[in-house]
Structures are given as C-alpha cells and as structure tokens.
Amino acid sequence: MSGDINVIFRACESIVSQDRLGPYVRSFYLYQTTRRSQTELPTRFWNMLQKALWKMRCLDVLYIDDPARANTWILSDIPKIPFQLREANFRLPWNRHIIKFLESQNKLRQFQISGGVDEDAPQFEDGSLPDLCTFDGHLASAMQLLSLPCGLRHLRIPLDRSTNKQLLDFIPKLAAISRTLRSLNIIHMPEELSVEAIKLISFVCPDLHYVGIIPLPMTFPHRSMIHDALLAMHNLRDLEIDVSRWSPLPNTGSLQRMLATELHTYCSSLEHIILRTGSNRTLWYFDGNEWNVSENGQHLLVDGLWKNR
C-alpha cells in the first residue's frame, strides 16, 4: 500500500521479475496521495501493473483508483488472472471489462465502484457473483445486480441530479432481494422525495435493520408520514436522518435527545440514531432507558454502521 506511484511501480517490477513474491501479496492498493496533483498514469505503468496482478494468485483485496477512469483493460485478460477476490474497490467505469472481470470472481463479498456506467455495458451472465453481500455504487449499477439471484445484505447508492428521479422507480425493484437485504443507505436523497421514499422502503423491505440517509421534514404533516412508515418497520435497529435544512438546527443535546425519543416512539426497535446537521454527525444510542450520545470512536462506528448489520 502506497500513495507514491514510483514506489508502486518498483514493487510491481519486483513482483514480475521474481516469481516467489507474487503469492505473498494478499492486498494491493493503487492510489495517489495528493488528489490535487493527480496525473494520468502512462501506459507503461498500467502494463507493469497488469503483469504484476497476474502473479498475485492469493490476492484477497484489490483497490484501484485511476484518475483517468480509463484503464479497466488491465482486468480484461481473464485466463491470466489467478486470484479470487474477497473485496474490491474501484474508481473505474462500469463497462464490459469490469462486467467480465466480476463474472470471474466467485468469492467476491464486498464491491464498491464509483465510476459511471457505459451505455454498452453488457448484462451479467446467470450465476455471477454468488457470494456478493455488500455493494456500494451508482443506481444503474445496482439495477444490473438486481438481475442476479444474489443474496445482497448491504446496499449503498449515491444519488445525483440525473438519478434522483429514478429513485422511486428503483425502490420497488428491491423486492427481488428483500429476503436478504438488511441495510439500505441512500446518499444525497432530496428532501422532496424523502416521504415517498421511506413509505416505499417500509412497504417493500419492512425487515431492514438499517435505513439512511433520510432527510427528515421539519414540519407536519410530512413528518408524521415518516412516523407512519417507521411503524411498519419492526426490525429496524439503525436510522440515519438529515436535519440540515431545519431552522434553527437542533444542535443542542437536549433537542437531539427529544428528536431521538420522538422517533423511538414510533419504532421501538431502534438502537442507534445518527443525526446529520450540516457537516456534523452525532450518534445516539439507546441504553434501555434513555438516549445517550456516543463520544468515543463515533465516526468510525457511523461510517461502518450500514454494512455491519
């Protein structure tokens, strides 16, 4: 693991030139430390990386951040790829090379991809990704995964202006994985969609353990509609809500405790509530009697809560 491209290149050279080294590599991370100075890497670098990957037959974890979002071809020569990944995180486009690579990965459990979806990206072959549990990627990519009989447990989808309007059409399709799905994390959900979205979620996936990030309306009756949806979710343990548009913001501990208590009234199974007020996130937990704020390791727990249920 190194953010220095020269170090990564020399490491790949060593792996390619000395056969004994490749099998020792269990995790490999390619990134550039300073995003401001990220540069497009030469073809010579990618060729060396590809040859090094062919030597890593015990690789479990692979992270590739390509500033150009253009070099998925390094994963295209399937017969020469010796490893079966457990976890992959790609800053790459979702295209035919990625699809074919994923079809070869029968042990992959966690997958994150942040690139856009190419129009000519093919559909998966039946039986692909049988062990996939956690997916983090754009809505169009998630739509393709729903065509597979996989047992997804944790799903995170970042929205943008082009996909906001598709959300309400997408949620009913989660019925295909409602039996296994336990966490649904939707990033950047517009407040005007929050009521309809949570109503659909509670109907399609009532057994979820985690739901977020729901913009909570400040005023009634819209807020009471959120409450009605929560009444139907008897297994919900973690709820992440955004109150950044409230005026004034509920920044004090007493106001936040009152809000947590209010939500708990309609969903008594709740154990954690994450409140977002702008850039701040506050984790509240229920000790059996009252709500308390978590002080230690808060952000580490908040960041991973959606994929731990």
Side-chain angles (χ1 to χ4, degrees):
M1 178 189 293
S2 174
D4 187 326
I5 295 304
N6 293 321
V7 170
I8 290 288
F9 185 81
R10 291 196 300 272
C12 289
E13 277 188 316
S14 297
I15 291 167
V16 170
S17 62
Q18 302 181 55
D19 287 340
R20 67 181 181 85
L21 295 179
Y24 286 109
V25 183
R26 298 301 179 93
S27 56
F28 187 90
Y29 295 77
L30 167 63
Y31 61 95
Q32 296 184 52
T33 304
T34 307
R35 290 195 171 275
R36 290 182 181 178
S37 62
Q38 279 190 349
T39 58
E40 186 172 337
L41 302 173
T43 302
R44 175 171 170 264
F45 175 88
W46 293 105
N47 281 324
M48 184 61 70
L49 173 59
Q50 184 186 50
K51 291 176 181 177
L53 289 173
W54 293 346
K55 302 284 187 177
M56 302 178 190
R57 65 172 183 263
C58 297
L59 195 65
D60 278 331
V61 179
L62 180 60
Y63 179 102
I64 299 178
D65 186 349
D66 174 18
R69 304 290 193 267
N71 293 285
T72 55
W73 58 267
I74 65 170
L75 300 171
S76 64
D77 200 340
I78 304 303
K80 293 184 179 179
I81 293 176
F83 51 78
Q84 287 288 318
L85 296 178
R86 176 176 46 86
E87 180 178 343
N89 190 329
F90 295 154
R91 301 295 187 265
L92 294 167
W94 182 276
N95 59 20
R96 59 189 178 89
H97 294 314
I98 291 293
I99 295 291
K100 292 303 178 185
F101 172 75
L102 291 175
E103 287 175 346
S104 74
Q105 298 298 301
N106 296 321
K107 296 182 179 180
L108 190 67
R109 296 186 63 80
Q110 298 186 42
F111 181 48
Q112 179 177 355
I113 186 166
S114 63
V117 178
D118 286 3
E119 291 183 0
D120 62 347
Q123 295 295 315
F124 282 105
E125 291 184 0
D126 290 342
S128 301
L129 299 171
D131 287 349
L132 188 66
C133 291
T134 303
F135 177 72
D136 183 346
H138 291 293
L139 189 144
S141 305
M143 284 286 290
Q144 285 210 28
L145 286 176
L146 292 183
S147 67
L148 297 173
C150 59
L152 269 182
R153 291 184 62 84
H154 314 292
L155 179 61
R156 177 156 73 174
I157 300 171
L159 296 180
D160 54 37
R161 289 181 180 178
S162 64
T163 55
N164 283 343
K165 294 180 180 180
Q166 301 172 32
L167 177 63
L168 299 183
D169 294 327
F170 170 75
I171 293 173
K173 293 179 172 59
L174 294 176
I177 57 171
S178 62
R179 183 180 60 84
T180 59
L181 191 66
R182 292 296 173 263
S183 303
L184 179 61
N185 189 345
I186 302 172
I187 310 296
H188 308 310
M189 182 190 297
E191 183 170 335
E192 59 269 21
L193 295 182
S194 65
V195 171
E196 287 303 316
I198 191 65
K199 286 167 61 177
L200 280 172
I201 291 168
S202 67
F203 178 76
V204 176
C205 304
D207 296 325
L208 287 173
H209 292 182
Y210 167 97
V211 172
I213 302 167
I214 306 298
L216 186 68
M218 182 177 180
T219 58
F220 293 89
H222 295 99
R223 193 150 123 217
S224 61
M225 295 178 184
I226 301 284
H227 296 159
D228 290 343
L230 293 177
L231 283 170
M233 306 189 76
H234 304 296
N235 296 309
L236 194 63
R237 304 290 185 268
D238 312 313
L239 177 64
E240 190 162 357
I241 61 172
D242 190 343
V243 291
S244 299
R245 296 179 67 177
W246 285 30
S247 181
L249 286 175
N251 283 325
T252 65
S254 58
L255 287 175
Q256 292 193 4
R257 181 178 282 107
M258 289 172 60
L259 188 53
T261 303
E262 172 190 310
L263 295 168
H264 189 246
T265 300
Y266 296 94
C267 186
S268 59
S269 59
L270 282 172
E271 298 172 2
H272 297 98
I273 292 177
I274 302 101
L275 290 174
R276 289 182 173 243
T277 52
S279 60
N280 296 320
R281 296 177 298 174
T282 307
L283 174 65
W284 289 83
Y285 67 93
F286 190 63
D287 66 3
N289 294 305
E290 63 178 1
W291 287 92
N292 299 283
V293 67
S294 175
E295 302 289 353
N296 299 322
Q298 173 175 302
H299 291 295
L300 289 175
L301 181 56
V302 168
D303 290 339
L305 201 58
W306 73 276
K307 55 184 177 182
N308 288 335
R309 283 299 184 183

